[in-house]
Amino acid sequence: MYNIEDTKKLLEKRLSKKRYVHSLNVAEQCKILSNLAKLSPEDTARCYYAGLVHDICKELPTQEMKKMVVATNSNFPVSRSELASKPLWHSIAGAYYVKEVLGVTDSDVINAVRFHTVARSGMTKIEEIVYMADLISADRDYKDVKRMRKLAYADLDLAMFEALKFSIVDITGKNGLIPHYTIEAYNQYAYMYKNKFAK
Ligand SMILES: [Fe+2]
Ligand SMILES: [Fe+2]
């Protein structure tokens, strides 16, 4: 299994104190959400590790990040809109780093890092939990964080739907580009919402 102590040491070297604390907080939220989702101890450990490393490339110089984004060779190609949005690069670079440098072969962990910014349709439970844990970690203080936390603890699917709606509105408010991964994710939860609640 993953060596958590060594990973924490690596993160301490690569990240500012603030980002390191954020990473620990996200990992803690992963544990909480995994327990609520009744994941096995093994899956909870995988989820905790993914939460810990999700921002591992966040503070790299842009050029270094870009190299990894360009070198990405996965089933999930980097979209044009992602290439045009620098704040998204760290998740793509992070997945590359985790896979190629740390030698992680667990696709849930790699994809959880890859999609913690844009989401995608067909996310596994571990990917969803990391996405949500990043939004509700203890260091987050945006206006609706308490409501989001409550929702995530009560109904992860509905929380994903709300988070994606929020994200899309936020992007359009800034005249930004919406990656197709995000739109497809939104549609998936919108269908789910229709079936689950609109009867
Ligand atoms: Fe991030
Ligand atoms: Fe993060």
Side-chain angles (χ1 to χ4, degrees):
M1 231 22 197
Y2 300 108
N3 187 326
I4 297 303
E5 286 317 308
D6 283 358
T7 306
K8 284 182 181 170
K9 277 184 205 138
L10 176 67
L11 288 171
E12 258 185 311
K13 269 190 235 153
R14 293 176 63 88
L15 300 174
S16 61
K17 178 87 179 128
K18 192 175 171 220
R19 184 87 46 204
Y20 176 65
V21 170
H22 166 69
S23 303
L24 295 180
N25 287 340
V26 171
E28 273 314 308
Q29 285 298 325
C30 281
K31 210 186 270 179
I32 294 169
L33 291 170
S34 296
N35 288 335
L36 288 170
K38 299 191 169 50
L39 296 192
S40 66
E42 292 75 24
D43 286 350
T44 301
R46 292 162 68 211
C47 204
Y48 182 88
Y49 177 78
L52 207 52
V53 298
H54 80 287
D55 273 342
I56 196 162
C57 286
K58 179 100 179 184
E59 292 175 353
L60 286 184
T62 308
Q63 277 318 311
E64 233 174 287
M65 247 189 250
K66 177 101 190 249
K67 273 186 215 160
M68 289 193 260
V69 170
V70 170
T72 293
N73 176 18
S74 93
N75 297 334
F76 299 105
V78 181
S79 65
R80 269 181 73 196
S81 48
E82 285 179 298
L83 264 184
S85 315
K86 278 188 205 163
L88 303 179
W89 292 1
H90 76 280
S91 50
I92 305 163
Y96 179 91
Y97 185 91
V98 161
K99 186 176 169 207
E100 304 296 339
V101 181
L102 300 183
V104 170
T105 54
D106 184 336
S107 61
D108 276 344
V109 170
I110 296 166
N111 290 336
V113 176
R114 167 68 177 87
F115 291 105
H116 84 266
T117 46
V118 297
R120 70 175 177 101
S121 67
M123 288 174 111
T124 62
K125 196 56 78 191
I126 289 176
E127 292 174 63
E128 288 179 325
I129 287 175
V130 173
Y131 182 91
M132 193 49 60
D134 188 32
L135 289 186
I136 61 167
S137 63
D139 49 294
R140 296 291 194 196
D141 60 358
Y142 56 92
K143 194 173 126 264
D144 282 335
V145 69
K146 278 195 185 138
R147 190 180 69 85
M148 206 58 205
R149 217 170 263 145
K150 218 172 142 189
L151 190 57
Y153 294 162
D155 187 332
L156 186 59
D157 289 335
L158 190 53
M160 288 298 297
F161 185 45
E162 287 297 319
L164 284 156
K165 270 202 276 189
F166 176 84
S167 167
I168 287 172
V169 169
D170 185 55
I171 297 170
T172 55
K174 294 174 185 159
N175 299 327
L177 296 156
I178 307 173
H180 69 86
Y181 290 118
T182 307
I183 296 168
E184 287 161 6
Y186 168 82
N187 283 343
Q188 177 196 323
Y189 296 101
Y191 277 125
M192 211 185 269
Y193 182 83
K194 264 186 199 297
N195 294 333
K196 203 165 168 181
F197 300 101
K199 275 173 193 161

Short mmCIF file of all heavy atoms in Angstrom, two decimals, residues 98-142:
data_model
loop_
_atom_site.label_atom_id
_atom_site.label_comp_id
_atom_site.label_asym_id
_atom_site.label_seq_id
_atom_site.Cartn_x
_atom_site.Cartn_y
_atom_site.Cartn_z
N VAL A 98 2.23 11.62 -10.71
CA VAL A 98 1.89 10.49 -9.85
C VAL A 98 2.16 9.16 -10.58
O VAL A 98 2.71 8.22 -10.03
CB VAL A 98 0.42 10.61 -9.40
CG1 VAL A 98 -0.16 9.31 -8.90
CG2 VAL A 98 0.28 11.69 -8.34
N LYS A 99 1.81 9.16 -11.87
CA LYS A 99 1.96 7.93 -12.65
C LYS A 99 3.42 7.70 -13.06
O LYS A 99 3.98 6.62 -12.81
CB LYS A 99 1.08 8.05 -13.91
CG LYS A 99 1.01 6.80 -14.74
CD LYS A 99 0.03 7.00 -15.90
CE LYS A 99 0.15 5.87 -16.90
NZ LYS A 99 -0.25 6.26 -18.24
N GLU A 100 4.02 8.72 -13.67
CA GLU A 100 5.34 8.51 -14.27
C GLU A 100 6.49 8.65 -13.29
O GLU A 100 7.52 7.99 -13.45
CB GLU A 100 5.55 9.51 -15.43
CG GLU A 100 4.48 9.47 -16.51
CD GLU A 100 4.42 8.15 -17.27
OE1 GLU A 100 5.42 7.40 -17.26
OE2 GLU A 100 3.35 7.85 -17.85
N VAL A 101 6.37 9.51 -12.32
CA VAL A 101 7.48 9.74 -11.38
C VAL A 101 7.32 8.89 -10.12
O VAL A 101 8.25 8.23 -9.68
CB VAL A 101 7.62 11.24 -11.03
CG1 VAL A 101 8.80 11.47 -10.08
CG2 VAL A 101 7.79 12.07 -12.31
N LEU A 102 6.11 8.89 -9.56
CA LEU A 102 5.91 8.11 -8.33
C LEU A 102 5.59 6.64 -8.64
O LEU A 102 5.58 5.81 -7.74
CB LEU A 102 4.79 8.73 -7.48
CG LEU A 102 5.03 10.18 -7.01
CD1 LEU A 102 3.88 10.64 -6.12
CD2 LEU A 102 6.36 10.33 -6.27
N GLY A 103 5.29 6.35 -9.89
CA GLY A 103 5.06 4.95 -10.29
C GLY A 103 3.73 4.36 -9.84
O GLY A 103 3.59 3.14 -9.74
N VAL A 104 2.77 5.25 -9.59
CA VAL A 104 1.44 4.75 -9.18
C VAL A 104 0.74 4.13 -10.40
O VAL A 104 0.75 4.70 -11.49
CB VAL A 104 0.58 5.92 -8.62
CG1 VAL A 104 -0.87 5.51 -8.42
CG2 VAL A 104 1.18 6.43 -7.31
N THR A 105 0.17 2.94 -10.20
CA THR A 105 -0.53 2.27 -11.31
C THR A 105 -2.05 2.24 -11.10
O THR A 105 -2.79 1.80 -11.97
CB THR A 105 -0.03 0.82 -11.47
OG1 THR A 105 -0.18 0.18 -10.20
CG2 THR A 105 1.42 0.77 -11.92
N ASP A 106 -2.49 2.68 -9.94
CA ASP A 106 -3.91 2.66 -9.57
C ASP A 106 -4.67 3.73 -10.36
O ASP A 106 -4.52 4.92 -10.12
CB ASP A 106 -3.99 2.93 -8.06
CG ASP A 106 -5.40 2.84 -7.51
OD1 ASP A 106 -6.36 3.03 -8.29
OD2 ASP A 106 -5.53 2.61 -6.31
N SER A 107 -5.50 3.29 -11.32
CA SER A 107 -6.15 4.27 -12.20
C SER A 107 -7.12 5.17 -11.45
O SER A 107 -7.33 6.32 -11.83
CB SER A 107 -6.85 3.57 -13.37
OG SER A 107 -7.84 2.71 -12.87
N ASP A 108 -7.71 4.68 -10.36
CA ASP A 108 -8.61 5.55 -9.58
C ASP A 108 -7.83 6.72 -8.98
O ASP A 108 -8.32 7.85 -8.95
CB ASP A 108 -9.27 4.77 -8.43
CG ASP A 108 -10.51 4.02 -8.91
OD1 ASP A 108 -11.02 4.33 -9.99
OD2 ASP A 108 -10.95 3.11 -8.18
N VAL A 109 -6.64 6.43 -8.50
CA VAL A 109 -5.82 7.49 -7.90
C VAL A 109 -5.38 8.47 -8.99
O VAL A 109 -5.51 9.68 -8.85
CB VAL A 109 -4.59 6.89 -7.15
CG1 VAL A 109 -3.61 7.99 -6.75
CG2 VAL A 109 -5.04 6.10 -5.93
N ILE A 110 -4.88 7.93 -10.10
CA ILE A 110 -4.42 8.79 -11.21
C ILE A 110 -5.57 9.66 -11.72
O ILE A 110 -5.43 10.87 -11.88
CB ILE A 110 -3.84 7.92 -12.35
CG1 ILE A 110 -2.60 7.16 -11.86
CG2 ILE A 110 -3.50 8.79 -13.58
CD1 ILE A 110 -2.15 6.03 -12.78
N ASN A 111 -6.73 9.06 -11.93
CA ASN A 111 -7.88 9.82 -12.47
C ASN A 111 -8.46 10.79 -11.44
O ASN A 111 -8.99 11.83 -11.81
CB ASN A 111 -8.96 8.87 -12.98
CG ASN A 111 -8.53 8.14 -14.24
OD1 ASN A 111 -7.66 8.62 -14.96
ND2 ASN A 111 -9.10 6.98 -14.50
N ALA A 112 -8.38 10.43 -10.17
CA ALA A 112 -8.87 11.35 -9.13
C ALA A 112 -8.03 12.63 -9.16
O ALA A 112 -8.57 13.74 -9.02
CB ALA A 112 -8.81 10.70 -7.76
N VAL A 113 -6.73 12.49 -9.36
CA VAL A 113 -5.87 13.68 -9.46
C VAL A 113 -6.17 14.42 -10.76
O VAL A 113 -6.38 15.63 -10.78
CB VAL A 113 -4.37 13.28 -9.39
CG1 VAL A 113 -3.48 14.51 -9.58
CG2 VAL A 113 -4.05 12.60 -8.05
N ARG A 114 -6.26 13.67 -11.84
CA ARG A 114 -6.49 14.24 -13.18
C ARG A 114 -7.78 15.07 -13.23
O ARG A 114 -7.83 16.11 -13.88
CB ARG A 114 -6.54 13.10 -14.21
CG ARG A 114 -7.07 13.45 -15.59
CD ARG A 114 -6.10 14.37 -16.33
NE ARG A 114 -6.54 14.69 -17.68
CZ ARG A 114 -7.37 15.68 -18.02
NH1 ARG A 114 -7.86 16.48 -17.08
NH2 ARG A 114 -7.69 15.91 -19.26
N PHE A 115 -8.83 14.55 -12.58
CA PHE A 115 -10.14 15.19 -12.74
C PHE A 115 -10.63 15.94 -11.50
O PHE A 115 -11.81 16.27 -11.41
CB PHE A 115 -11.17 14.15 -13.20
CG PHE A 115 -10.89 13.69 -14.62
CD1 PHE A 115 -10.32 12.45 -14.88
CD2 PHE A 115 -11.15 14.54 -15.69
CE1 PHE A 115 -10.03 12.06 -16.18
CE2 PHE A 115 -10.87 14.16 -17.00
CZ PHE A 115 -10.30 12.91 -17.24
N HIS A 116 -9.72 16.26 -10.58
CA HIS A 116 -10.21 16.97 -9.38
C HIS A 116 -10.57 18.42 -9.71
O HIS A 116 -11.21 19.09 -8.91
CB HIS A 116 -9.20 16.88 -8.23
CG HIS A 116 -8.08 17.89 -8.26
ND1 HIS A 116 -6.85 17.64 -8.83
CD2 HIS A 116 -8.01 19.14 -7.76
CE1 HIS A 116 -6.08 18.71 -8.68
NE2 HIS A 116 -6.76 19.64 -8.04
N THR A 117 -10.20 18.90 -10.87
CA THR A 117 -10.56 20.27 -11.26
C THR A 117 -11.79 20.30 -12.16
O THR A 117 -12.70 21.08 -11.93
CB THR A 117 -9.39 20.93 -12.03
OG1 THR A 117 -8.91 19.99 -13.00
CG2 THR A 117 -8.27 21.34 -11.11
N VAL A 118 -11.79 19.47 -13.20
CA VAL A 118 -12.86 19.58 -14.22
C VAL A 118 -13.96 18.53 -14.08
O VAL A 118 -15.01 18.66 -14.71
CB VAL A 118 -12.28 19.53 -15.66
CG1 VAL A 118 -11.36 20.71 -15.90
CG2 VAL A 118 -11.58 18.21 -15.95
N ALA A 119 -13.72 17.48 -13.31
CA ALA A 119 -14.64 16.33 -13.22
C ALA A 119 -14.78 15.66 -14.59
O ALA A 119 -14.17 16.11 -15.57
CB ALA A 119 -16.00 16.72 -12.65
N ARG A 120 -15.54 14.61 -14.67
CA ARG A 120 -15.82 13.93 -15.95
C ARG A 120 -17.06 13.08 -15.74
O ARG A 120 -17.46 12.84 -14.59
CB ARG A 120 -14.62 13.06 -16.37
CG ARG A 120 -14.42 11.82 -15.49
CD ARG A 120 -13.30 10.93 -16.03
NE ARG A 120 -13.05 9.78 -15.17
CZ ARG A 120 -13.49 8.54 -15.41
NH1 ARG A 120 -14.22 8.28 -16.48
NH2 ARG A 120 -13.22 7.56 -14.58
N SER A 121 -17.65 12.59 -16.82
CA SER A 121 -18.75 11.65 -16.62
C SER A 121 -18.14 10.28 -16.34
O SER A 121 -17.02 10.00 -16.79
CB SER A 121 -19.65 11.61 -17.86
OG SER A 121 -18.94 11.03 -18.93
N GLY A 122 -18.83 9.51 -15.56
CA GLY A 122 -18.34 8.17 -15.25
C GLY A 122 -17.25 8.14 -14.19
O GLY A 122 -16.43 7.23 -14.16
N MET A 123 -17.21 9.15 -13.35
CA MET A 123 -16.22 9.15 -12.26
C MET A 123 -16.49 7.97 -11.32
O MET A 123 -17.66 7.66 -11.04
CB MET A 123 -16.30 10.44 -11.44
CG MET A 123 -15.77 11.66 -12.15
SD MET A 123 -16.08 13.14 -11.16
CE MET A 123 -14.40 13.56 -10.69
N THR A 124 -15.43 7.38 -10.82
CA THR A 124 -15.61 6.34 -9.81
C THR A 124 -15.86 7.02 -8.46
O THR A 124 -15.67 8.23 -8.32
CB THR A 124 -14.35 5.46 -9.69
OG1 THR A 124 -13.26 6.29 -9.27
CG2 THR A 124 -14.00 4.80 -11.02
N LYS A 125 -16.29 6.22 -7.50
CA LYS A 125 -16.57 6.78 -6.17
C LYS A 125 -15.32 7.51 -5.62
O LYS A 125 -15.43 8.59 -5.04
CB LYS A 125 -16.99 5.63 -5.24
CG LYS A 125 -17.66 6.03 -3.96
CD LYS A 125 -18.89 6.89 -4.13
CE LYS A 125 -20.12 6.13 -4.54
NZ LYS A 125 -21.21 7.06 -4.94
N ILE A 126 -14.15 6.92 -5.83
CA ILE A 126 -12.92 7.54 -5.32
C ILE A 126 -12.67 8.89 -6.01
O ILE A 126 -12.33 9.88 -5.36
CB ILE A 126 -11.73 6.57 -5.49
CG1 ILE A 126 -11.88 5.42 -4.50
CG2 ILE A 126 -10.38 7.29 -5.31
CD1 ILE A 126 -10.84 4.33 -4.59
N GLU A 127 -12.91 8.96 -7.30
CA GLU A 127 -12.74 10.23 -8.02
C GLU A 127 -13.74 11.28 -7.51
O GLU A 127 -13.38 12.44 -7.29
CB GLU A 127 -12.95 10.03 -9.52
CG GLU A 127 -11.86 9.22 -10.20
CD GLU A 127 -12.20 8.94 -11.67
OE1 GLU A 127 -12.30 9.90 -12.45
OE2 GLU A 127 -12.39 7.77 -12.03
N GLU A 128 -14.98 10.85 -7.32
CA GLU A 128 -16.00 11.79 -6.82
C GLU A 128 -15.61 12.31 -5.44
O GLU A 128 -15.74 13.50 -5.16
CB GLU A 128 -17.36 11.09 -6.71
CG GLU A 128 -18.03 10.79 -8.03
CD GLU A 128 -19.38 10.08 -7.86
OE1 GLU A 128 -19.52 9.27 -6.92
OE2 GLU A 128 -20.27 10.32 -8.66
N ILE A 129 -15.16 11.41 -4.60
CA ILE A 129 -14.84 11.81 -3.23
C ILE A 129 -13.69 12.81 -3.21
O ILE A 129 -13.74 13.82 -2.49
CB ILE A 129 -14.55 10.56 -2.36
CG1 ILE A 129 -15.87 9.81 -2.08
CG2 ILE A 129 -13.85 10.94 -1.05
CD1 ILE A 129 -15.71 8.50 -1.33
N VAL A 130 -12.68 12.59 -4.03
CA VAL A 130 -11.54 13.53 -4.05
C VAL A 130 -12.01 14.89 -4.58
O VAL A 130 -11.65 15.94 -4.03
CB VAL A 130 -10.36 12.97 -4.87
CG1 VAL A 130 -9.26 14.01 -5.05
CG2 VAL A 130 -9.81 11.71 -4.20
N TYR A 131 -12.84 14.87 -5.63
CA TYR A 131 -13.37 16.12 -6.19
C TYR A 131 -14.11 16.91 -5.10
O TYR A 131 -13.90 18.10 -4.90
CB TYR A 131 -14.31 15.80 -7.36
CG TYR A 131 -14.90 17.02 -8.05
CD1 TYR A 131 -14.27 17.60 -9.13
CD2 TYR A 131 -16.10 17.56 -7.60
CE1 TYR A 131 -14.81 18.72 -9.76
CE2 TYR A 131 -16.65 18.68 -8.23
CZ TYR A 131 -15.99 19.25 -9.31
OH TYR A 131 -16.54 20.36 -9.91
N MET A 132 -14.97 16.20 -4.37
CA MET A 132 -15.79 16.86 -3.35
C MET A 132 -14.94 17.26 -2.14
O MET A 132 -15.12 18.36 -1.59
CB MET A 132 -16.91 15.88 -2.94
CG MET A 132 -18.01 16.49 -2.13
SD MET A 132 -18.70 18.01 -2.80
CE MET A 132 -19.29 17.43 -4.38
N ALA A 133 -14.03 16.40 -1.73
CA ALA A 133 -13.18 16.70 -0.56
C ALA A 133 -12.39 17.98 -0.79
O ALA A 133 -12.19 18.77 0.13
CB ALA A 133 -12.24 15.52 -0.30
N ASP A 134 -11.97 18.19 -2.03
CA ASP A 134 -11.22 19.41 -2.36
C ASP A 134 -12.09 20.65 -2.18
O ASP A 134 -11.60 21.72 -1.82
CB ASP A 134 -10.72 19.31 -3.82
CG ASP A 134 -9.76 20.42 -4.19
OD1 ASP A 134 -9.02 20.90 -3.32
OD2 ASP A 134 -9.75 20.80 -5.38
N LEU A 135 -13.38 20.50 -2.40
CA LEU A 135 -14.30 21.64 -2.29
C LEU A 135 -14.72 21.95 -0.86
O LEU A 135 -15.11 23.07 -0.55
CB LEU A 135 -15.57 21.38 -3.10
CG LEU A 135 -15.48 21.39 -4.61
CD1 LEU A 135 -16.88 21.26 -5.20
CD2 LEU A 135 -14.86 22.69 -5.11
N ILE A 136 -14.69 20.93 -0.01
CA ILE A 136 -15.25 21.14 1.34
C ILE A 136 -14.20 20.98 2.44
O ILE A 136 -14.54 20.87 3.61
CB ILE A 136 -16.44 20.17 1.62
CG1 ILE A 136 -15.98 18.70 1.55
CG2 ILE A 136 -17.58 20.42 0.64
CD1 ILE A 136 -17.01 17.72 2.09
N SER A 137 -12.91 20.98 2.08
CA SER A 137 -11.86 20.77 3.09
C SER A 137 -11.91 21.89 4.14
O SER A 137 -12.44 22.98 3.88
CB SER A 137 -10.49 20.71 2.42
OG SER A 137 -10.18 21.93 1.81
N ALA A 138 -11.36 21.61 5.31
CA ALA A 138 -11.49 22.51 6.47
C ALA A 138 -10.98 23.92 6.20
O ALA A 138 -11.45 24.88 6.82
CB ALA A 138 -10.75 21.90 7.66
N ASP A 139 -10.05 24.07 5.27
CA ASP A 139 -9.47 25.39 5.00
C ASP A 139 -10.31 26.21 4.01
O ASP A 139 -10.01 27.37 3.76
CB ASP A 139 -8.04 25.24 4.45
CG ASP A 139 -7.98 24.23 3.31
OD1 ASP A 139 -8.23 23.03 3.56
OD2 ASP A 139 -7.74 24.63 2.16
N ARG A 140 -11.36 25.63 3.45
CA ARG A 140 -12.20 26.37 2.50
C ARG A 140 -13.13 27.31 3.26
O ARG A 140 -13.71 26.92 4.29
CB ARG A 140 -13.06 25.41 1.67
CG ARG A 140 -12.28 24.47 0.77
CD ARG A 140 -11.63 25.23 -0.37
NE ARG A 140 -11.15 24.31 -1.40
CZ ARG A 140 -10.30 24.65 -2.34
NH1 ARG A 140 -9.79 25.87 -2.38
NH2 ARG A 140 -9.93 23.77 -3.26
N ASP A 141 -13.28 28.54 2.74
CA ASP A 141 -14.13 29.48 3.47
C ASP A 141 -15.03 30.31 2.54
O ASP A 141 -15.40 31.43 2.87
CB ASP A 141 -13.27 30.41 4.35
CG ASP A 141 -12.30 31.21 3.52
OD1 ASP A 141 -12.26 31.04 2.28
OD2 ASP A 141 -11.56 32.05 4.10
N TYR A 142 -15.37 29.76 1.36
CA TYR A 142 -16.28 30.50 0.49
C TYR A 142 -17.69 30.51 1.10
O TYR A 142 -17.98 29.75 2.04
CB TYR A 142 -16.29 29.92 -0.94
CG TYR A 142 -16.62 28.45 -1.04
CD1 TYR A 142 -17.92 28.02 -1.23
CD2 TYR A 142 -15.62 27.48 -0.95
CE1 TYR A 142 -18.23 26.67 -1.34
CE2 TYR A 142 -15.90 26.13 -1.04
CZ TYR A 142 -17.21 25.73 -1.23
OH TYR A 142 -17.50 24.40 -1.31
#
